[in-house]
Structure formats: C-alpha cells, structure tokens
Amino acid sequence: GEDVEQSLFLSVREGDSSVINCTYTDSSSTYLYWYKQEPGAGLQLLTYIFSNMDMKQDQRLTVLLNKKDKHLSLRIADTQTGDSAIYFCAENGTGRRALTFGSGTRLQVQP
Amino acid sequence: DAGVIQSPRHEVTEMGQEVTLRCKPISGHDYLFWYRQTMMRGLELLIYFNNNVPIDDSGMPEDRFSAKMPNASFSTLKIQPSEPRDSAVYFCASNWQGTTEAFFGQGTRLTVV
C-alpha cells in the first residue's frame, strides 16, 4: 500500500535553514504536497510540486523532488520563530482522490 | 468563501455517549473527506464522498462510526457508542474535480472520558 515517512522532529536556530525530508512509496504520485499545521489549527497548503519537476522555489521555500529515490524535501531559508509548526508531506497516487499524509515533522525554531 | 467549517471545535463526552461531528464544505466543492489525527497514527483518512455519495469508507475503524452527506453543503460523522480510544482531532476537508489539493477545516478535538 501507499506509505509516506517523515522524521518526527527538527530543531533549528532562528535565521538558519531548515530541511524537512519525506520518503514515499507510490511511484504513480502525480502531485506531492507540503502542508503546515500550527497549534490548534487545521492544515494549510504551503506548496506543491508536480511529479515531472525536480525543483520548485517559492520565496523562502524550496522543494526538491528525487523521483528515482522517491524522496521529497522542503527547505525553509532564514527560518523564523513563526515557522514553528508541524509540517506534513502528502501525495496522491494515480486514481486516488484522497491524499496520503506522512506523520508530520515538528519544527522547533529556537530564538 | 469562509472555508471549510466544522462544529463543534471541542467536544468532551462520556464513554458510551453518541457524538456527532459536523462539516460544511466549501461551496462548489464536490469531494468531502473526513480525516482523524492522533499522536500514534498521524493523519488517517476515514471516508470520502463525491457528489454526496460515499466512495471509500475503508478507513472507518469499526461499525461504531458512520458518516452521511445528505446534501452538498453538509456532512456528519457519528460515533455511537463513543470510547476513550476515539479521542482525537477529526478534520473535514473538501476539494473539487480540478485539483487534488485538500482544503481543511479547523478540526474538532474530541475527548471521550
């Protein structure tokens, strides 16, 4: 079945770059997503990448996709305390309507 | 649009009681999803609907759980009888045919004591 794996926790200092990693098993995924969840809130879409791309940049966010290794990463440049949240990667395989989510990576930004 | 609206935001109930969670999807969205988030299992899909029809309910944990979508603007997730292990945050999400991006509500935090 489909599986999405993430490390559970990452701690960085304010101003540093953060890199959150994700691996997935379904090679038919057409889109891969990064969602952010702040405390007590729902999930909000941060960015996404189409499976035929290997990189996407959006302001401080850079998404890298290695389709051969089924590895997705999210880099946040100049990490701020407001970036502290849980970050989920998600994918949809061909023919599947619902997204499959990883377990989430809790990012803690130290001042 | 106000986004996906869920109610209540918090629910505390005693074991054995019936619990009903509510969701109003974004207007014009024809897919609706119910997810459950726990520390142990992360975010799990319970069921999803297309045009008010349940398409995949394989994630519904057991017969105590049921979901309905009587019209395009309303869905319920019912647990009867509730148990302490049902304590979790339940999210509703919606989208439309042209995207697989899911738009999430704020969630309902359920505590069963």
Side-chain angles (χ1 to χ4, degrees):
Chain A
E2 311 83 23
D3 199 18
V4 181
E5 304 260 345
Q6 297 178 242
S7 54
L8 291 181
F9 187 74
L10 175 66
S11 180
V12 301
R13 291 207 174 273
E14 192 172 19
D16 288 350
S17 292
S18 308
V19 180
I20 302 171
N21 294 299
C22 172
T23 57
Y24 59 97
T25 57
D26 191 338
S27 58
S28 67
S29 299
T30 49
Y31 286 95
L32 294 115
Y33 298 86
W34 284 104
Y35 279 80
K36 177 182 180 182
Q37 184 183 31
E38 296 184 354
L43 279 71
Q44 287 190 301
L45 180 69
L46 263 185
T47 187
Y48 66 93
I49 188 167
F50 188 51
S51 59
N52 69 352
M53 299 168 65
D54 50 23
M55 187 181 92
K56 180 179 179 181
Q57 187 140 8
D58 184 0
Q59 298 180 13
R60 291 191 298 122
L61 305 178
T62 303
V63 179
L64 295 178
L65 175 60
N66 182 327
K67 204 171 175 184
K68 173 175 167 289
D69 293 340
K70 296 180 196 151
H71 182 265
L72 182 73
S73 68
L74 173 70
R75 178 177 180 269
I76 306 172
D78 186 25
T79 313
Q80 302 298 305
T81 54
D83 295 323
S84 294
I86 302 175
Y87 291 80
F88 291 89
C89 70
E91 57 87 20
N92 75 306
T94 303
R96 283 192 291 112
R97 190 68 211 173
L99 298 179
T100 300
F101 287 85
S103 54
T105 299
R106 182 178 295 274
L107 174 65
Q108 182 179 72
V109 183
Q110 315 257 11
Chain B
D1 200 312
V4 176
I5 299 172
Q6 292 187 245
S7 64
R9 289 293 312 274
H10 302 273
E11 176 82 38
V12 180
T13 191
E14 289 186 347
M15 184 172 65
Q17 296 299 305
E18 177 180 293
V19 175
T20 300
L21 312 181
R22 296 172 175 79
C23 175
K24 180 181 188 309
I26 292 172
S27 176
H29 284 191
D30 49 6
Y31 287 87
L32 183 141
F33 308 86
W34 282 101
Y35 285 89
R36 177 172 70 175
Q37 184 180 31
T38 60
M39 289 288 289
M40 291 299 293
R41 300 174 69 91
L43 205 61
E44 305 172 278
L45 177 71
L46 299 178
I47 185 171
Y48 80 90
F49 296 82
N50 177 218
N51 291 323
N52 315 335
V53 175
I55 302 300
D56 182 356
D57 65 354
S58 59
M60 296 286 263
E62 43 195 282
D63 292 346
R64 298 184 297 107
F65 286 70
S66 62
K68 292 182 179 177
M69 193 163 185
N71 58 62
S73 58
F74 184 64
S75 177
T76 59
L77 178 67
K78 189 175 290 187
I79 308 172
Q80 165 64 16
S82 57
E83 296 182 4
R85 61 193 167 115
D86 302 331
S87 297
V89 181
Y90 290 80
F91 286 104
C92 177
S94 70
N95 65 19
W96 57 285
Q97 182 66 34
T99 181
T100 53
E101 174 192 347
F103 296 80
F104 280 79
Q106 295 293 295
T108 295
R109 180 174 294 277
L110 173 65
T111 304
V112 183
V113 296

